[in-house]
Amino acid sequence: MSVFIDITGLPPERIAFGPSPLAELGAALHALSEPAHHARLHGWITTTSAGLKPELADRLHEADFLWRSTRADILLPATPRETLAEELDDLDLMDDETYVAAALEISCASQYGEGLPSPLVDAGVRQRALELAAARGPRQAAFVRQMLADPPGVRAWIRRLLEDCEEAFFADTWRRVRVQLAADARHKTETLRRKGLAEAVAAVSPAVTLEEDGLRTRIVVDKLTHGRTAATGAAGHRLTFLPTAFGWPHLLALSTPGWQPVVQYPVSTRELTDATPVDTVKLRLEAVAHPMRMRLCRSLARGSYSTSELADTYGITAPEVSRHLAVLRKAGLLTTQRRGRYVLRQLDVAVVARLGSDFLEGVLR
């Protein structure tokens, strides 16, 4: 499972790296609403939360479905600007149907990639949005009802909320992080110019790769979800990469049909460099979930053993042991050494120890 972005025929000059104040504010608001996802931001989250006025905190809670579970597409601009005001001005140019559909994307998450009509024009989509919003709480449900009844009024309310966040805490935060983000974007742009797209994409994250088969070129974002979009060579199409200082462990890929694709990636960190592909995590979890392999791991964690030793210990045949060891070996959970005519296997304890954190990073990515 991955997000695939078709860029066949897209000129390099239409692939852009740049910081976005609106996207960074969205990432910061997510961190405030889900602090458990962002342990390394504990100091900033604690200080900022303590400084929020109760009235602003209440308003943020009311609209937090825009950024809590994931990020509404309206918070990931395809054309980054210098200031939050400029990006909000661009957002104001969007028609109500598109804006409301994007703002309520979280309520329609299960059908995100299907290009559903706006709830302003489709009764079925509207009812589904209301039902799913109700599950998030009465205040959120009331907010969605109001958005469907009065889109211009709610859009103005959201803009004022984001502007108040800028005044309360984000202006200072943006001044501190924008230099780092701009430097990262310049570095990626220079890598793209000098070394090509494959190198630039590799510098974004180990979870982002470039695939070329002669006929098609696409960006693959390794996530525990599935999506397809395109930024082809048509006029005006582009692919935008937005660096964020608040993002890790999340790696966002906007793939809504009809929208310009956007990838928001955390600036380089040790944790991101060590990212394990989600397919590998799945393979390892399946390998250790089997009762017999779990028992074999008990021995293999304590020392190195031959197939015959394990067969004798657990009362099963050597071919059965070999089949179980092959699964563990394919998952990268074993080390091998040869002692004379014997092949000895041992559990790679360091890899197994990372399995929990790798799983968590994968599901949060």
Side-chain angles (χ1 to χ4, degrees):
M1 291 190 289
S2 298
V3 176
F4 300 94
I5 305 172
D6 190 341
I7 58 169
T8 304
L10 189 70
E13 61 270 18
R14 292 191 189 165
I15 299 173
F17 293 85
S20 160
L22 177 58
E24 195 69 353
L25 175 55
L29 290 173
H30 168 75
L32 287 173
S33 62
E34 288 287 1
H37 293 187
H38 304 276
R40 65 189 183 96
L41 295 175
H42 176 74
W44 180 87
I45 292 171
T46 301
T47 301
T48 303
S49 297
L52 289 179
K53 294 181 179 179
E55 183 269 342
L56 179 57
D58 284 346
R59 289 160 63 203
L60 289 174
H61 175 66
E62 189 172 352
D64 71 353
F65 67 87
L66 292 169
W67 52 74
R68 189 181 191 98
S69 299
T70 181
R71 215 72 46 76
D73 291 343
I74 58 173
L75 300 176
L76 295 168
T79 305
R81 305 292 189 184
E82 285 294 317
T83 67
L84 179 64
E86 290 175 296
E87 292 185 333
L88 293 177
D89 288 343
D90 288 345
L91 204 54
D92 286 344
L93 299 176
M94 188 179 295
D95 63 83
D96 284 345
E97 291 180 12
T98 303
Y99 184 101
V100 171
L104 298 184
E105 165 235 313
I106 287 81
S107 293
C108 305
S110 64
Q111 298 169 292
Y112 174 78
E114 298 179 17
L116 293 175
S118 171
L120 292 182
V121 298
D122 187 283
V125 175
R126 178 188 184 94
Q127 184 59 36
R128 177 172 174 79
L130 288 168
E131 290 173 356
L132 293 178
R136 294 178 175 266
R139 296 186 65 181
Q140 286 77 7
F143 186 87
V144 170
R145 286 196 299 271
Q146 184 65 22
M147 176 177 283
L148 293 171
D150 180 22
V154 173
R155 291 179 63 167
W157 185 93
I158 292 174
R159 173 162 185 152
R160 285 194 301 273
L161 173 64
L162 298 177
E163 290 171 338
D164 289 347
C165 288
E166 181 179 38
E167 181 179 350
F169 65 88
F170 184 68
D172 179 63
T173 298
W174 181 242
R175 278 193 295 271
R176 290 188 287 112
V177 303
R178 66 180 300 180
V179 174
Q180 177 192 16
L181 301 185
D184 183 90
R186 284 194 300 270
H187 171 70
K188 301 292 192 300
T189 301
E190 188 66 11
T191 300
L192 174 64
R193 187 178 72 83
R194 290 179 176 273
K195 299 182 179 180
L197 182 57
E199 290 283 344
V201 166
V204 167
S205 165
V208 184
T209 55
L210 178 69
E211 287 188 356
E212 298 179 276
D213 60 10
L215 298 176
R216 181 176 59 183
T217 303
R218 62 184 186 178
I219 303 292
V220 181
V221 185
D222 181 42
K223 290 174 65 70
L224 202 60
T225 187
H226 182 75
R228 292 184 181 274
T229 187
T232 59
H237 284 209
R238 57 187 285 151
L239 169 62
T240 305
F241 289 90
L242 306 176
T244 171
F246 286 86
W248 192 89
H250 307 306
L251 179 63
L252 304 184
L254 191 162
S255 58
T256 305
W259 285 60
Q260 299 286 356
V262 175
V263 175
Q264 187 184 43
Y265 65 95
V267 291
S268 296
T269 64
R270 178 189 61 80
E271 295 92 338
L272 190 62
T273 302
D274 293 338
T276 302
V278 291
D279 283 346
T280 300
V281 176
K282 179 175 178 287
L283 191 67
R284 290 173 177 172
L285 289 172
E286 290 173 345
V288 299
H290 191 281
M292 178 52 71
R293 289 195 287 272
M294 192 177 296
R295 294 176 65 194
L296 291 172
C297 285
R298 183 177 186 277
S299 295
L300 294 167
R302 289 164 166 77
S304 54
Y305 288 86
S306 67
T307 300
S308 58
E309 287 177 309
L310 292 169
D312 182 68
T313 299
Y314 291 98
I316 60 177
T317 66
E320 285 181 280
V321 172
S322 294
R323 285 194 292 270
H324 286 303
L325 293 180
V327 173
L328 293 168
R329 187 171 64 253
K330 183 180 179 181
L333 299 175
L334 298 182
T335 61
T336 302
Q337 60 176 309
R338 184 172 291 276
R339 185 178 299 161
R341 64 189 181 91
Y342 294 101
V343 176
L344 304 179
R345 311 287 187 188
Q346 187 168 6
L347 196 68
D348 191 330
V349 177
V351 173
V352 177
R354 291 201 306 269
L355 192 52
S357 58
D358 287 342
F359 171 72
L360 184 60
E361 192 275 339
V363 297
L364 290 178
R365 187 186 301 161

